[in-house]
Amino acid sequence: MADYTPVIWNPGDTVTTSQYNALVAALAEEEAINVIQDSMIDRLTSSITTMPRWLVFTSGTATSGTVFYYWFTADRDLTVSQITVRTNTTAAAATPTLCRLGLYLETSTSGDLSQIAATPNDTTLFAAASTMYTKAFSSSVALTAGTRYAVALLVVSGVAVPNFSASGSTIGSAEHASTPRWMASQTGQTDLPSSVAIASMVNPGIPLYARLD
Amino acid sequence: MPEYVPLTWVADDTLTAPQITTLSADAEDEELTNSVQSARMDLGLATGVNSCVRHLSGGNGTAVAASQTLMLTYFTADKDVTVNNVYTRGGTTAAGATPTIVRFGLYSVAANGDLTLVASTANDTTIFNSASQSVNKALSASYNMVMGQRYAGGWLVVSAAAMPTIIGIDYQLSGTEMALAPRLTGVVTGQSNLPSSVAAASVGSTASRIHYFRLYT
């Protein structure tokens, strides 16, 4: 790659053809690099995911009554109407009382969240292991490139709860809490909250793979 | 990094010196940002092209799948480079004695997903005959990889004995999810040798894996 050297123009200076061409070439090259970088992380063509697919090599187990939040940055402007997650080796035993997925907007750099979309309760979700589950939000929502969001997962059940396909998370709670917030959880919940302060969360979480379409 | 505010010029507008100075500075800023982004994620190597980031090579070896199944990992070349060799590493299970075919194939991926064999290694049945063994194998002919081009590569093992494992990850998503554009993995079954071309429709998604390999000069 050519190394672009910026030029400082002063009033009355003439922009030479070579200077102009170098500037245009530099901008075009950086645009091309952006495209390649997107491709190298295998960014999906028409969806937003919480992480590249190749990071999903393990699983995280839900806990009844605990909301698991996983933060991500939208990599494009996209209006989404559904969310997809995958159960791993353990399905939900019959029958949970509540299974919901949510989408939250980060409202502060510390990680406070406000709900912007959620699926209705569906206790048939997660009834099978190793299955992709797609569920529509109650209403669609427009995501903005560069904005930080979090997906949320809540299962309330008196019997066995499922585990979900995820990336690894063995680096310790302090790393989870580093800014930007990576993941967290909130215990003692009977439903998805409309908003949640970071102060009411604890660090353990599930680095949950989710796809938003 | 300062945020550049784009301007919209209309006919006969004058480009002021501060405006073009800012534009020039932004071009340099974006160049630096791109460089930092790649470095932070260790996306690419200084030399050579790898199939996935090295972070993913730490698994304990993933199955090569069944005999006669070409298991492909898709990736994008991050540089123009002429490659002559391929590196990978065997997993914790060696190949039983003795396979009849062990070859690596590199395929160029067309916009419609069709594959064309562009480079390969000669048959060498000693590859993967020891567990956790690094493999460096020359390509039969050098190949000029093109920055931004999508490729797919993988090892084909034909054997009636035990199949080896190769470093990589056994991902926890469905094959369908991995096949979403851009396709990340795929399998081509029933191959007695490397096919010279594969139609996109013939690439399956079941039981595919991500394997780490590096192509280098």
mmCIF file of all heavy atoms in Angstrom, chain B residues 142-181:
data_model
loop_
_atom_site.group_PDB
_atom_site.id
_atom_site.type_symbol
_atom_site.label_atom_id
_atom_site.label_comp_id
_atom_site.label_asym_id
_atom_site.label_seq_id
_atom_site.Cartn_x
_atom_site.Cartn_y
_atom_site.Cartn_z
ATOM 1 N N SER B 142 3.829 -22.129 -8.571
ATOM 2 C CA SER B 142 3.540 -20.907 -7.828
ATOM 3 C C SER B 142 2.244 -20.289 -8.348
ATOM 4 O O SER B 142 1.833 -20.519 -9.491
ATOM 5 C CB SER B 142 4.695 -19.914 -7.946
ATOM 6 O OG SER B 142 4.889 -19.553 -9.295
ATOM 7 N N TYR B 143 1.641 -19.488 -7.484
ATOM 8 C CA TYR B 143 0.362 -18.874 -7.852
ATOM 9 C C TYR B 143 0.323 -17.453 -7.324
ATOM 10 O O TYR B 143 0.725 -17.191 -6.186
ATOM 11 C CB TYR B 143 -0.802 -19.683 -7.274
ATOM 12 C CG TYR B 143 -2.147 -19.037 -7.545
ATOM 13 C CD1 TYR B 143 -2.668 -19.010 -8.840
ATOM 14 C CD2 TYR B 143 -2.871 -18.426 -6.528
ATOM 15 C CE1 TYR B 143 -3.870 -18.392 -9.094
ATOM 16 C CE2 TYR B 143 -4.084 -17.813 -6.782
ATOM 17 C CZ TYR B 143 -4.579 -17.794 -8.067
ATOM 18 O OH TYR B 143 -5.772 -17.176 -8.332
ATOM 19 N N ASN B 144 -0.186 -16.555 -8.134
ATOM 20 C CA ASN B 144 -0.288 -15.155 -7.752
ATOM 21 C C ASN B 144 -1.653 -14.887 -7.123
ATOM 22 O O ASN B 144 -2.667 -14.798 -7.833
ATOM 23 C CB ASN B 144 -0.098 -14.240 -8.974
ATOM 24 C CG ASN B 144 1.274 -14.382 -9.595
ATOM 25 O OD1 ASN B 144 2.271 -14.521 -8.889
ATOM 26 N ND2 ASN B 144 1.335 -14.351 -10.915
ATOM 27 N N MET B 145 -1.678 -14.757 -5.812
ATOM 28 C CA MET B 145 -2.943 -14.441 -5.127
ATOM 29 C C MET B 145 -3.210 -12.946 -5.267
ATOM 30 O O MET B 145 -2.298 -12.128 -5.281
ATOM 31 C CB MET B 145 -2.872 -14.831 -3.654
ATOM 32 C CG MET B 145 -2.637 -16.319 -3.437
ATOM 33 S SD MET B 145 -2.808 -16.833 -1.714
ATOM 34 C CE MET B 145 -4.607 -16.768 -1.530
ATOM 35 N N VAL B 146 -4.470 -12.600 -5.360
ATOM 36 C CA VAL B 146 -4.876 -11.222 -5.622
ATOM 37 C C VAL B 146 -5.608 -10.657 -4.409
ATOM 38 O O VAL B 146 -6.569 -11.272 -3.921
ATOM 39 C CB VAL B 146 -5.791 -11.147 -6.864
ATOM 40 C CG1 VAL B 146 -6.278 -9.725 -7.100
ATOM 41 C CG2 VAL B 146 -5.050 -11.680 -8.090
ATOM 42 N N MET B 147 -5.160 -9.525 -3.943
ATOM 43 C CA MET B 147 -5.784 -8.869 -2.803
ATOM 44 C C MET B 147 -7.274 -8.628 -3.059
ATOM 45 O O MET B 147 -7.657 -8.127 -4.119
ATOM 46 C CB MET B 147 -5.089 -7.530 -2.538
ATOM 47 C CG MET B 147 -5.641 -6.771 -1.358
ATOM 48 S SD MET B 147 -4.692 -5.274 -0.997
ATOM 49 C CE MET B 147 -5.077 -4.285 -2.444
ATOM 50 N N GLY B 148 -8.086 -9.007 -2.097
ATOM 51 C CA GLY B 148 -9.522 -8.803 -2.220
ATOM 52 C C GLY B 148 -10.266 -9.960 -2.837
ATOM 53 O O GLY B 148 -11.494 -10.020 -2.765
ATOM 54 N N GLN B 149 -9.530 -10.891 -3.443
ATOM 55 C CA GLN B 149 -10.158 -12.057 -4.072
ATOM 56 C C GLN B 149 -10.531 -13.077 -3.004
ATOM 57 O O GLN B 149 -9.793 -13.312 -2.060
ATOM 58 C CB GLN B 149 -9.199 -12.686 -5.098
ATOM 59 C CG GLN B 149 -9.637 -14.027 -5.654
ATOM 60 C CD GLN B 149 -10.902 -13.945 -6.488
ATOM 61 O OE1 GLN B 149 -11.070 -13.027 -7.301
ATOM 62 N NE2 GLN B 149 -11.820 -14.883 -6.275
ATOM 63 N N ARG B 150 -11.689 -13.678 -3.154
ATOM 64 C CA ARG B 150 -12.124 -14.739 -2.256
ATOM 65 C C ARG B 150 -11.570 -16.077 -2.740
ATOM 66 O O ARG B 150 -11.625 -16.391 -3.941
ATOM 67 C CB ARG B 150 -13.650 -14.787 -2.240
ATOM 68 C CG ARG B 150 -14.256 -15.577 -1.091
ATOM 69 C CD ARG B 150 -14.254 -14.810 0.191
ATOM 70 N NE ARG B 150 -14.986 -15.492 1.247
ATOM 71 C CZ ARG B 150 -14.818 -15.242 2.539
ATOM 72 N NH1 ARG B 150 -13.953 -14.319 2.932
ATOM 73 N NH2 ARG B 150 -15.518 -15.873 3.443
ATOM 74 N N TYR B 151 -11.010 -16.840 -1.803
ATOM 75 C CA TYR B 151 -10.466 -18.155 -2.103
ATOM 76 C C TYR B 151 -11.073 -19.190 -1.139
ATOM 77 O O TYR B 151 -11.627 -18.837 -0.090
ATOM 78 C CB TYR B 151 -8.941 -18.166 -1.938
ATOM 79 C CG TYR B 151 -8.201 -17.293 -2.929
ATOM 80 C CD1 TYR B 151 -7.819 -15.995 -2.589
ATOM 81 C CD2 TYR B 151 -7.885 -17.764 -4.193
ATOM 82 C CE1 TYR B 151 -7.138 -15.183 -3.496
ATOM 83 C CE2 TYR B 151 -7.203 -16.962 -5.108
ATOM 84 C CZ TYR B 151 -6.835 -15.676 -4.755
ATOM 85 O OH TYR B 151 -6.173 -14.891 -5.656
ATOM 86 N N ALA B 152 -10.916 -20.451 -1.509
ATOM 87 C CA ALA B 152 -11.266 -21.540 -0.602
ATOM 88 C C ALA B 152 -10.148 -22.567 -0.692
ATOM 89 O O ALA B 152 -9.632 -22.838 -1.779
ATOM 90 C CB ALA B 152 -12.597 -22.175 -0.993
ATOM 91 N N GLY B 153 -9.760 -23.098 0.433
ATOM 92 C CA GLY B 153 -8.687 -24.089 0.429
ATOM 93 C C GLY B 153 -8.972 -25.192 1.412
ATOM 94 O O GLY B 153 -9.769 -25.041 2.347
ATOM 95 N N GLY B 154 -8.337 -26.325 1.166
ATOM 96 C CA GLY B 154 -8.515 -27.416 2.106
ATOM 97 C C GLY B 154 -7.747 -28.648 1.682
ATOM 98 O O GLY B 154 -7.223 -28.733 0.572
ATOM 99 N N TRP B 155 -7.671 -29.593 2.619
ATOM 100 C CA TRP B 155 -6.967 -30.851 2.394
ATOM 101 C C TRP B 155 -7.958 -31.940 2.018
ATOM 102 O O TRP B 155 -9.025 -32.037 2.617
ATOM 103 C CB TRP B 155 -6.213 -31.260 3.652
ATOM 104 C CG TRP B 155 -5.063 -30.354 3.960
ATOM 105 C CD1 TRP B 155 -5.100 -29.215 4.707
ATOM 106 C CD2 TRP B 155 -3.715 -30.499 3.504
ATOM 107 N NE1 TRP B 155 -3.851 -28.640 4.750
ATOM 108 C CE2 TRP B 155 -2.985 -29.407 4.028
ATOM 109 C CE3 TRP B 155 -3.052 -31.439 2.703
ATOM 110 C CZ2 TRP B 155 -1.624 -29.237 3.775
ATOM 111 C CZ3 TRP B 155 -1.697 -31.264 2.459
ATOM 112 C CH2 TRP B 155 -0.988 -30.171 2.987
ATOM 113 N N LEU B 156 -7.564 -32.731 1.047
ATOM 114 C CA LEU B 156 -8.322 -33.928 0.698
ATOM 115 C C LEU B 156 -7.520 -35.142 1.136
ATOM 116 O O LEU B 156 -6.350 -35.290 0.751
ATOM 117 C CB LEU B 156 -8.578 -33.995 -0.813
ATOM 118 C CG LEU B 156 -9.258 -35.285 -1.288
ATOM 119 C CD1 LEU B 156 -10.703 -35.362 -0.778
ATOM 120 C CD2 LEU B 156 -9.238 -35.388 -2.815
ATOM 121 N N VAL B 157 -8.120 -35.970 1.956
ATOM 122 C CA VAL B 157 -7.480 -37.216 2.394
ATOM 123 C C VAL B 157 -8.368 -38.374 1.941
ATOM 124 O O VAL B 157 -9.567 -38.399 2.243
ATOM 125 C CB VAL B 157 -7.309 -37.251 3.922
ATOM 126 C CG1 VAL B 157 -6.671 -38.574 4.354
ATOM 127 C CG2 VAL B 157 -6.460 -36.072 4.393
ATOM 128 N N VAL B 158 -7.749 -39.281 1.193
ATOM 129 C CA VAL B 158 -8.447 -40.504 0.775
ATOM 130 C C VAL B 158 -7.770 -41.661 1.475
ATOM 131 O O VAL B 158 -6.558 -41.884 1.291
ATOM 132 C CB VAL B 158 -8.393 -40.687 -0.757
ATOM 133 C CG1 VAL B 158 -9.110 -41.972 -1.171
ATOM 134 C CG2 VAL B 158 -9.008 -39.472 -1.459
ATOM 135 N N SER B 159 -8.502 -42.346 2.299
ATOM 136 C CA SER B 159 -7.871 -43.394 3.102
ATOM 137 C C SER B 159 -8.913 -44.399 3.590
ATOM 138 O O SER B 159 -10.043 -44.024 3.910
ATOM 139 C CB SER B 159 -7.153 -42.785 4.308
ATOM 140 O OG SER B 159 -6.592 -43.799 5.116
ATOM 141 N N ALA B 160 -8.478 -45.648 3.670
ATOM 142 C CA ALA B 160 -9.333 -46.673 4.278
ATOM 143 C C ALA B 160 -8.990 -46.839 5.753
ATOM 144 O O ALA B 160 -9.660 -47.594 6.468
ATOM 145 C CB ALA B 160 -9.142 -47.996 3.539
ATOM 146 N N ALA B 161 -7.939 -46.155 6.184
ATOM 147 C CA ALA B 161 -7.503 -46.248 7.577
ATOM 148 C C ALA B 161 -8.021 -45.038 8.359
ATOM 149 O O ALA B 161 -8.841 -44.267 7.870
ATOM 150 C CB ALA B 161 -5.982 -46.326 7.633
ATOM 151 N N ALA B 162 -7.509 -44.856 9.581
ATOM 152 C CA ALA B 162 -7.984 -43.756 10.430
ATOM 153 C C ALA B 162 -7.666 -42.402 9.814
ATOM 154 O O ALA B 162 -6.585 -42.200 9.247
ATOM 155 C CB ALA B 162 -7.333 -43.858 11.808
ATOM 156 N N MET B 163 -8.610 -41.487 9.921
ATOM 157 C CA MET B 163 -8.423 -40.152 9.361
ATOM 158 C C MET B 163 -7.714 -39.255 10.379
ATOM 159 O O MET B 163 -7.961 -39.338 11.580
ATOM 160 C CB MET B 163 -9.780 -39.548 9.010
ATOM 161 C CG MET B 163 -10.507 -40.295 7.900
ATOM 162 S SD MET B 163 -9.692 -40.127 6.308
ATOM 163 C CE MET B 163 -10.057 -38.418 5.930
ATOM 164 N N PRO B 164 -6.836 -38.365 9.890
ATOM 165 C CA PRO B 164 -6.139 -37.459 10.808
ATOM 166 C C PRO B 164 -7.023 -36.264 11.163
ATOM 167 O O PRO B 164 -8.063 -36.038 10.551
ATOM 168 C CB PRO B 164 -4.946 -36.999 9.975
ATOM 169 C CG PRO B 164 -5.478 -36.991 8.576
ATOM 170 C CD PRO B 164 -6.423 -38.168 8.496
ATOM 171 N N THR B 165 -6.582 -35.501 12.155
ATOM 172 C CA THR B 165 -7.209 -34.206 12.448
ATOM 173 C C THR B 165 -6.231 -33.103 12.084
ATOM 174 O O THR B 165 -5.014 -33.308 12.024
ATOM 175 C CB THR B 165 -7.604 -34.087 13.926
ATOM 176 O OG1 THR B 165 -6.456 -34.310 14.737
ATOM 177 C CG2 THR B 165 -8.685 -35.094 14.283
ATOM 178 N N ILE B 166 -6.790 -31.924 11.820
ATOM 179 C CA ILE B 166 -5.993 -30.758 11.431
ATOM 180 C C ILE B 166 -6.422 -29.595 12.307
ATOM 181 O O ILE B 166 -7.606 -29.450 12.619
ATOM 182 C CB ILE B 166 -6.207 -30.415 9.939
ATOM 183 C CG1 ILE B 166 -5.784 -31.584 9.059
ATOM 184 C CG2 ILE B 166 -5.453 -29.145 9.554
ATOM 185 C CD1 ILE B 166 -6.067 -31.362 7.589
ATOM 186 N N ILE B 167 -5.456 -28.742 12.694
ATOM 187 C CA ILE B 167 -5.784 -27.628 13.580
ATOM 188 C C ILE B 167 -6.866 -26.741 12.962
ATOM 189 O O ILE B 167 -6.941 -26.555 11.752
ATOM 190 C CB ILE B 167 -4.545 -26.778 13.914
ATOM 191 C CG1 ILE B 167 -3.853 -26.310 12.637
ATOM 192 C CG2 ILE B 167 -3.613 -27.529 14.835
ATOM 193 C CD1 ILE B 167 -2.760 -25.309 12.900
ATOM 194 N N GLY B 168 -7.666 -26.192 13.823
ATOM 195 C CA GLY B 168 -8.765 -25.346 13.401
ATOM 196 C C GLY B 168 -9.827 -25.355 14.475
ATOM 197 O O GLY B 168 -9.533 -25.655 15.635
ATOM 198 N N ILE B 169 -11.028 -25.026 14.107
ATOM 199 C CA ILE B 169 -12.096 -25.027 15.109
ATOM 200 C C ILE B 169 -13.303 -25.793 14.588
ATOM 201 O O ILE B 169 -13.605 -25.811 13.405
ATOM 202 C CB ILE B 169 -12.527 -23.606 15.525
ATOM 203 C CG1 ILE B 169 -13.124 -22.843 14.352
ATOM 204 C CG2 ILE B 169 -11.391 -22.861 16.149
ATOM 205 C CD1 ILE B 169 -13.857 -21.607 14.781
ATOM 206 N N ASP B 170 -13.942 -26.417 15.543
ATOM 207 C CA ASP B 170 -15.205 -27.085 15.282
ATOM 208 C C ASP B 170 -16.282 -26.103 15.731
ATOM 209 O O ASP B 170 -16.641 -26.053 16.888
ATOM 210 C CB ASP B 170 -15.273 -28.382 16.086
ATOM 211 C CG ASP B 170 -16.526 -29.171 15.782
ATOM 212 O OD1 ASP B 170 -17.316 -28.728 14.928
ATOM 213 O OD2 ASP B 170 -16.716 -30.224 16.414
ATOM 214 N N TYR B 171 -16.748 -25.276 14.823
ATOM 215 C CA TYR B 171 -17.660 -24.197 15.203
ATOM 216 C C TYR B 171 -19.009 -24.744 15.662
ATOM 217 O O TYR B 171 -19.377 -25.879 15.364
ATOM 218 C CB TYR B 171 -17.838 -23.208 14.055
ATOM 219 C CG TYR B 171 -18.421 -23.834 12.819
ATOM 220 C CD1 TYR B 171 -19.784 -24.065 12.706
ATOM 221 C CD2 TYR B 171 -17.614 -24.217 11.764
ATOM 222 C CE1 TYR B 171 -20.325 -24.659 11.590
ATOM 223 C CE2 TYR B 171 -18.142 -24.816 10.637
ATOM 224 C CZ TYR B 171 -19.501 -25.039 10.564
ATOM 225 O OH TYR B 171 -20.033 -25.635 9.465
ATOM 226 N N GLN B 172 -19.738 -23.909 16.362
ATOM 227 C CA GLN B 172 -20.991 -24.329 16.993
ATOM 228 C C GLN B 172 -22.194 -23.635 16.368
ATOM 229 O O GLN B 172 -23.112 -23.199 17.062
ATOM 230 C CB GLN B 172 -20.928 -24.053 18.492
ATOM 231 C CG GLN B 172 -19.811 -24.793 19.195
ATOM 232 C CD GLN B 172 -19.985 -26.307 19.129
ATOM 233 O OE1 GLN B 172 -21.036 -26.822 19.454
ATOM 234 N NE2 GLN B 172 -18.951 -27.003 18.678
ATOM 235 N N LEU B 173 -22.150 -23.486 15.066
ATOM 236 C CA LEU B 173 -23.299 -22.951 14.331
ATOM 237 C C LEU B 173 -23.726 -23.979 13.287
ATOM 238 O O LEU B 173 -22.995 -24.928 13.005
ATOM 239 C CB LEU B 173 -22.947 -21.623 13.662
ATOM 240 C CG LEU B 173 -22.697 -20.458 14.619
ATOM 241 C CD1 LEU B 173 -22.154 -19.258 13.858
ATOM 242 C CD2 LEU B 173 -23.970 -20.083 15.355
ATOM 243 N N SER B 174 -24.877 -23.770 12.702
ATOM 244 C CA SER B 174 -25.329 -24.697 11.672
ATOM 245 C C SER B 174 -24.535 -24.495 10.382
ATOM 246 O O SER B 174 -23.980 -23.423 10.138
ATOM 247 C CB SER B 174 -26.815 -24.469 11.397
ATOM 248 O OG SER B 174 -27.002 -23.202 10.803
ATOM 249 N N GLY B 175 -24.507 -25.525 9.563
ATOM 250 C CA GLY B 175 -23.863 -25.391 8.266
ATOM 251 C C GLY B 175 -24.515 -24.310 7.429
ATOM 252 O O GLY B 175 -23.854 -23.605 6.660
ATOM 253 N N THR B 176 -25.812 -24.147 7.580
ATOM 254 C CA THR B 176 -26.531 -23.114 6.842
ATOM 255 C C THR B 176 -26.060 -21.722 7.242
ATOM 256 O O THR B 176 -25.905 -20.831 6.393
ATOM 257 C CB THR B 176 -28.041 -23.232 7.114
ATOM 258 O OG1 THR B 176 -28.462 -24.537 6.749
ATOM 259 C CG2 THR B 176 -28.822 -22.204 6.324
ATOM 260 N N GLU B 177 -25.811 -21.534 8.534
ATOM 261 C CA GLU B 177 -25.335 -20.229 8.999
ATOM 262 C C GLU B 177 -23.953 -19.938 8.405
ATOM 263 O O GLU B 177 -23.670 -18.803 8.016
ATOM 264 C CB GLU B 177 -25.273 -20.221 10.527
ATOM 265 C CG GLU B 177 -25.064 -18.853 11.159
ATOM 266 C CD GLU B 177 -26.338 -18.013 11.172
ATOM 267 O OE1 GLU B 177 -27.395 -18.510 10.754
ATOM 268 O OE2 GLU B 177 -26.253 -16.843 11.591
ATOM 269 N N MET B 178 -23.118 -20.965 8.336
ATOM 270 C CA MET B 178 -21.776 -20.765 7.787
ATOM 271 C C MET B 178 -21.808 -20.550 6.277
ATOM 272 O O MET B 178 -20.855 -20.037 5.693
ATOM 273 C CB MET B 178 -20.892 -21.975 8.112
ATOM 274 C CG MET B 178 -20.768 -22.240 9.601
ATOM 275 S SD MET B 178 -20.085 -20.842 10.520
ATOM 276 C CE MET B 178 -18.348 -21.238 10.472
ATOM 277 N N ALA B 179 -22.901 -20.947 5.651
ATOM 278 C CA ALA B 179 -23.021 -20.790 4.202
ATOM 279 C C ALA B 179 -23.606 -19.435 3.809
ATOM 280 O O ALA B 179 -23.640 -19.094 2.622
ATOM 281 C CB ALA B 179 -23.882 -21.905 3.622
ATOM 282 N N LEU B 180 -24.060 -18.658 4.789
ATOM 283 C CA LEU B 180 -24.564 -17.320 4.460
ATOM 284 C C LEU B 180 -23.441 -16.513 3.812
ATOM 285 O O LEU B 180 -22.277 -16.655 4.171
ATOM 286 C CB LEU B 180 -25.043 -16.604 5.728
ATOM 287 C CG LEU B 180 -26.287 -17.169 6.415
ATOM 288 C CD1 LEU B 180 -26.547 -16.433 7.721
ATOM 289 C CD2 LEU B 180 -27.498 -17.058 5.502
ATOM 290 N N ALA B 181 -23.807 -15.657 2.871
ATOM 291 C CA ALA B 181 -22.799 -14.855 2.168
ATOM 292 C C ALA B 181 -22.128 -13.860 3.102
ATOM 293 O O ALA B 181 -22.831 -13.173 3.843
ATOM 294 C CB ALA B 181 -23.460 -14.113 1.011
#
